[in-house]
Amino acid sequence: MRPVQLFDLVSVSYTATLSSGEVIDATPEGKPLTLAVGSGQILKAVEASLLGMESGQTKTVHIQPEDAFGPYDQGLVQEVPRGIFADRIDPKPGMILSLNLEQNGSSHQVPATVLAAGKEMVTIDYNHPLAGRIIIYTVTLHAIGN
């Protein structure tokens, strides 16, 4: 058996967890994912961990925030006037909203988490919900194709 190399077509299954043990993603039971190593279909750091593995092998890797969903940026936490929501929505802590964000002269729709909702102001977090977190992947290589 030869080990995985860049551009190999592989069949893998994985479970992604937080350090608390909470599962945040996984391939469906009995349905491995087929991908070309280096295609960017999964996190680059997870793809890199496949290099050198042999069929049947399982590996656990800790992916640092900068290689996963980025570091947590306190500057992406903002207070906005409750009035911007008008009567369309009543923001509550924990809600994930799709909001327009102006950047470089153009508008982008981005997800944002409501951290707090007062009578006048609402605290919004534009960080990815997994920003700043170490993600632990347990990956099993089922097969290597060409």
Side-chain angles (χ1 to χ4, degrees), residues 15 106 122:
T15 301
S106 61
V122 177

Side-chain angles (χ1 to χ4, degrees), residues 14-125:
Y14 66 85
T15 301
T17 61
L18 299 175
S19 57
S20 65
E22 177 186 352
V23 175
I24 57 170
D25 192 19
T27 50
E29 185 72 34
K31 297 196 186 259
L33 173 67
T34 300
L35 63 102
V37 176
S39 66
Q41 206 171 334
I42 58 176
L43 291 175
K44 288 179 184 178
V46 177
E47 278 187 326
S49 76
L50 296 172
L51 297 172
M53 285 181 71
E54 294 182 359
S55 189
Q57 205 174 7
T58 297
K59 183 187 281 188
T60 298
V61 292
H62 291 70
I63 309 298
Q64 298 302 309
E66 54 274 10
D67 294 322
F69 299 97
Y72 189 84
D73 182 352
Q74 192 62 41
L76 293 176
V77 177
Q78 301 175 1
E79 283 200 347
V80 298
R82 181 180 271 281
I84 69 165
F85 300 104
D87 292 330
R88 294 172 297 170
I89 193 163
D90 180 20
K92 302 213 181 312
M95 289 176 96
I96 297 178
L97 309 173
S98 182
L99 301 176
N100 285 325
L101 184 64
E102 293 291 326
Q103 187 176 29
N104 299 329
S106 61
S107 181
H108 303 276
Q109 243 185 352
V110 296
T113 304
V114 177
L115 298 181
K119 288 183 180 183
E120 301 295 322
M121 301 297 282
V122 177
T123 305
I124 302 291
D125 185 352

Side-chain angles (χ1 to χ4, degrees), residues 122-138:
V122 177
T123 305
I124 302 291
D125 185 352
Y126 289 101
N127 283 288
H128 186 283
L130 296 173
R133 309 288 293 269
I134 294 172
I135 311 296
I136 303 163
Y137 277 84
T138 301

